């Protein structure tokens, strides 16, 4: 499942985007050839050669200039567009334009230039256009001195051949009321809505719909590398971005420079994407418990209960209240769930979420309304992110076609992980009736013909969105040169650039020198947020723009 925060006002607010993630395939497909069809692979190679030929020696082949007002990016960030084929099997056929942003390396204190560092914040569906702003964030000075920081909006996202599946206004309406334990009738309603959504994607995207895939995202990434004039790609990917980076490394092992993969998706083809999504639900349940345990430790501050069970009872009282009378007229049980799913992603929201529950139970719904109400100003961005997320995951792999499979599997998971199971299932349900006949087969990550250089995987042990076993599997598939840095006892999604100096020192050293810290190393957890205090908001300014929870 996909989630995260949004809003251009958050600017640098995030270096990660959850993936919403993957899943198990009822009928697992065998992995495809590394580069998809021979025609697609040949087209990708031709396009990358053309981009490299256009590159200026010592510079890049992109025409960077002032960023359009729509990007809301201040100087000295510069913007450009990159032309890529819609279909790599037809490199001279229809082209699309991807937006790219960059801030040049500062070269401070005689830093050795390392080239371009490209970032993908995940999703799929998140834009990385704000990544260059990290040059101004404390803690990034040495990396920004050595690297040009390059962000981009992947195909379908933002102004990069934007994809849409429905009227954005329909996703900005509240309140929505969703049952805690969905009845057969409610499930039928959601199944019908999922089919309508899939039809909307086909109607709005037309013939372009099949080309929003991870394989094409990886091909686009290689064209971007060539257009930047880089012989090898240095890359940071978060959440879904880790899977994209792993697919790129499998397709182009000889073009991998330095690669940081933060909050790793399990790349096992048998889990992409249906099983990975099922795996998320127990992970979110653990993190929901972590939030309740934290609130219970601060019962004297919030009064929500002295045990996790008591805090759950307080949440249920709020849920029952907004089911009867929506908070502020716009926050029903659907909006409430989405807001509190954020607590399973990021512990820096815990003080605000706990304070909102406490205030509501004292008769003041204003805090809860402010945190959970849908924002019409971001409706188009949210709808776009959801459309790209759905298209990529549905196109990438086979999904169960029969509702009884979904119902059986999610009913079983919901018995032990009720917090998010059904919401996640309904989010992904358009894939059951996806109107693209020929789906991709997941790339066999790790099947590259040559050994990869040293890569760095970073993971939090209790991450719910990308559960920790995925990091172990990714490290195994990347080979002997892959190093894994684990933040033990913590679960915030997106570890790099947060509040863990140990993790950040390993990442900085690797990016600046190429030295990995060893096969597996651990870092103690970052400090828990202080109750009521909003100090942790500054610490959250490392994350990349994430669309809000759906």
């Amino acid at each position: 499942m996909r989630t995260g925060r949004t809003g251009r006002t958050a600017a640098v607010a995030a270096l990660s985007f959850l993936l919403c993630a993957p899943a198990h395939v009822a009928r697992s497909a065998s992995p495809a050839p590394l580069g998809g069809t021979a025609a697609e692979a040949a087209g990708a190679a031709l396009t990358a050669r053309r981009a490299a030929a256009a590159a200026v020696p010592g510079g890049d082949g992109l025409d960077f200039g002032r960023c359009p007002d729509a990007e809301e990016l201040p100087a000295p960030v510069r913007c450009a567009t990159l032309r890529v084929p819609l279909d790599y099997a037809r490199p001279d056929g229809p082209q699309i334009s991807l937006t790219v942003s960059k801030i040049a390396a500062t070269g401070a204190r005689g830093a050795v230039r390392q080239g371009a560092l490209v970032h993908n914040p995940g999703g799929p569906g998140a834009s990385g256009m704000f990544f260059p702003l990290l040059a101004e964030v404390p803690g990034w000075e040495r990396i920004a001195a050595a690297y040009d920081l390059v962000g981009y909006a992947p195909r379908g996202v933002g102004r990069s051949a934007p994809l849409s599946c429905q009227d954005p206004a329909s996703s900005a309406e509240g309140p929505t009321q969703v049952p805690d334990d969905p009845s057969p009738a409610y499930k039928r309603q959601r199944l019908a809505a999922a089919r309508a959504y899939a039809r909307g994607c086909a109607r709005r995207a037309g013939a372009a719909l099949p080309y929003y895939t991870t394989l094409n995202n990886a091909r686009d990434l290689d064209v971007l590398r060539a257009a930047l004039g880089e012989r090898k790609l240095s890359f940071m990917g978060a959440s879904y971005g880790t899977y994209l980076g792993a697919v790129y490394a499998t397709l182009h092992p000889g073009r991998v420079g330095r690669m940081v993969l933060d909050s790793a998706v399990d790349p096992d083809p048998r889990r992409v994407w249906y099983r990975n999504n099922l795996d998320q639900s127990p992970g979110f349940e653990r993190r929901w418990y972590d939030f309740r345990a934290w609130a219970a430790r601060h019962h004297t501050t919030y009064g929500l209960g002295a045990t996790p069970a008591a805090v759950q009872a307080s949440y249920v009282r709020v849920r029952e209240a907004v089911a009867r009378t929506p908070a502020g007229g716009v926050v029903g049980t659907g909006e409430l769930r989405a807001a509190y799913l954020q607590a399973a992603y990021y512990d820096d929201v815990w003080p605000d979420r706990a304070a909102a529950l406490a205030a509501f139970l004292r008769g003041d719904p204003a805090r809860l309304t402010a945190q959970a109400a849908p924002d019409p100003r971001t409706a188009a961005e949210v709808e776009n992110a959801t459309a790209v997320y759905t298209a990529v995951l549905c196109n990438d792999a086979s999904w169960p076609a029969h509702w009884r499979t979904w119902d059986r599997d999610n009913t079983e998971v919901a018995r032990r992980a009720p917090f998010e199971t059904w919401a996640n299932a309904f989010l992904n349900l358009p894939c059951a009736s996806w109107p693209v006949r020929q789906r991709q087969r997941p790339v066999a990550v790790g099947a590259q013909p040559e050994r990869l250089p040293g890569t760095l995987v970073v993971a939090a042990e209790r991450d719910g969105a990308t559960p920790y076993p995925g990091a172990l599997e990714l490290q195994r598939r990347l080979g002997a040169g892959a190093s894994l840095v684990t933040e033990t006892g913590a679960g915030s999604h997106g570890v790099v650039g947060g509040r863990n100096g140990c993790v950040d020192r390993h990442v900085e050293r690797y990016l600046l020198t190429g030295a990995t810290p060893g096969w597996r190393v651990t870092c103690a957890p970052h400090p828990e947020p202080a109750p009521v205090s909003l100090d942790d908001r500054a610490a959250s300014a490392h994350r990349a723009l994430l669309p809000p929870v759906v």
Side-chain angles (χ1 to χ4, degrees):
M1 104 159 280
R2 167 200 63 66
T3 173
R5 310 176 213 210
T6 189
R8 301 184 186 280
T9 56
V12 203
L15 238 212
S16 71
F17 172 138
L18 148 94
L19 135 84
C20 193
H24 131 286
V25 192
R27 268 179 314 211
S28 288
S30 57
L34 293 187
T37 68
E40 288 169 329
L46 174 62
T47 307
R49 285 197 300 272
R50 289 172 176 170
V56 179
D60 57 60
L62 294 169
D63 184 16
F64 282 98
R66 180 181 177 275
C67 293
D69 292 342
E71 298 295 348
E72 299 183 19
L73 290 170
V77 180
R78 309 285 280 173
C79 292
T81 56
L82 175 72
R83 298 285 285 173
V84 298
L86 174 66
D87 176 5
Y88 277 93
R90 296 193 298 152
D92 294 317
Q95 305 284 300
I96 59 176
S97 294
L98 309 185
T99 57
V100 183
S101 59
K102 183 182 80 167
I103 193 166
T106 66
R109 294 190 292 276
V112 176
R113 178 175 167 76
Q114 302 283 354
L117 177 63
V118 179
H119 175 60
N120 181 286
S127 172
M129 289 293 286
F130 284 91
F131 179 63
L133 294 180
L134 287 178
E136 304 297 325
V137 173
W140 285 81
E141 298 91 346
R142 295 183 67 195
I143 295 172
Y147 284 94
D148 297 341
L149 300 186
V150 177
Y152 74 109
R155 60 171 59 201
V157 178
R159 296 188 305 114
S160 295
L163 179 65
S164 172
C165 291
Q166 65 181 18
D167 181 356
S170 64
S171 64
E173 298 172 353
T176 55
Q177 302 292 7
V178 298
D180 191 34
D181 183 13
S183 67
Y186 181 78
K187 292 174 183 177
R188 287 193 295 271
Q189 291 175 16
R190 294 304 301 262
L191 180 58
R195 288 169 175 162
Y197 186 84
R199 290 194 299 270
C201 294
R203 184 173 60 254
R204 286 174 172 248
L209 188 60
Y211 302 106
Y212 297 95
T213 67
T214 296
L215 265 174
N216 280 337
N217 285 338
R219 292 164 180 145
D220 294 344
L221 192 56
D222 196 50
V223 177
L224 175 58
R225 170 203 59 79
L228 290 167
E230 299 291 338
R231 188 173 62 87
K232 296 191 175 184
L233 175 71
S234 289
F235 177 79
M236 291 186 70
S239 195
Y240 166 78
T242 68
Y243 181 63
L244 173 60
V247 168
Y248 181 90
T250 302
L251 300 178
H252 306 296
R255 298 176 199 164
V256 174
R258 293 172 193 165
M259 186 169 279
V260 178
L261 305 176
D262 178 13
S263 302
V265 171
D266 189 331
D268 185 336
R270 296 168 297 179
R271 310 192 82 79
V272 174
W273 289 111
Y274 179 71
R275 175 56 59 184
N276 274 345
N277 271 287
L278 287 176
D279 291 344
Q280 281 189 316
S281 295
F284 285 134
E285 200 70 26
R286 286 191 298 272
R287 287 299 286 162
W288 177 236
Y289 175 88
D290 289 348
F291 165 67
R292 292 183 288 121
W294 174 87
R297 289 194 293 275
H298 299 291
H299 174 60
T300 55
T301 299
Y302 298 112
L304 296 174
T307 66
V311 175
Q312 175 70 18
S314 293
Y315 175 80
V316 169
R317 291 203 305 276
V318 174
R319 191 181 191 285
E320 291 172 345
V322 300
R324 293 189 301 269
T325 306
V330 292
V331 175
T333 55
E335 290 78 18
L336 180 74
R337 179 207 59 80
Y340 282 82
L341 178 58
Q342 291 278 351
Y345 276 101
Y346 314 114
D347 58 22
D348 58 2
V349 307
W350 289 359
D352 279 353
R353 295 297 186 268
L357 288 180
F360 187 94
L361 291 171
R362 292 195 302 267
D364 177 9
R367 279 180 182 246
L368 182 63
T369 302
Q371 293 178 34
D375 186 352
R377 295 170 299 179
T378 62
E381 184 179 351
V382 172
E383 195 280 325
N384 171 236
T386 303
V388 176
Y389 164 80
T390 306
V392 173
L393 265 63
C394 295
N395 284 331
D396 262 7
S398 297
W399 291 72
H402 299 294
W403 165 246
R404 63 177 176 269
T405 302
W406 293 70
D407 195 21
R408 179 199 66 210
D409 292 346
N410 285 280
T411 297
E412 178 184 346
V413 174
R415 291 191 184 104
R416 52 195 169 90
F419 179 66
E420 182 60 15
T421 296
W422 283 113
N424 203 10
F426 296 139
L427 172 65
N428 294 295
L429 193 51
C431 295
S433 56
W434 193 241
V436 172
R437 176 176 294 179
Q438 205 59 34
R439 315 275 185 105
Q440 295 283 334
R441 292 182 178 179
V443 169
V445 167
Q448 61 273 358
E450 58 188 271
R451 177 170 173 163
L452 290 170
T455 53
L456 191 63
V457 180
V458 181
E461 195 173 39
R462 292 182 66 82
D463 187 349
T466 51
Y468 186 66
L472 301 177
E473 179 68 9
L474 178 59
Q475 183 194 25
R476 183 186 73 79
R477 286 175 175 265
L478 291 177
S483 180
L484 173 60
V485 177
T486 301
E487 184 182 24
T488 60
S492 281
H493 186 64
V495 184
V496 177
R499 296 172 306 207
N500 196 310
C502 170
V503 170
D504 291 344
R505 284 190 294 273
H506 285 306
V507 171
E508 181 184 77
R509 179 170 176 262
Y510 167 72
L511 287 174
L512 295 180
T513 70
T516 55
W519 184 55
R520 288 183 182 167
V521 297
T522 60
C523 291
H526 65 267
E528 288 188 337
V532 178
S533 170
L534 301 183
D535 292 345
D536 290 343
R537 285 181 174 169
S540 72
H542 71 291
R543 306 195 207 293
L545 275 183
L546 310 184
V549 177
V550 175

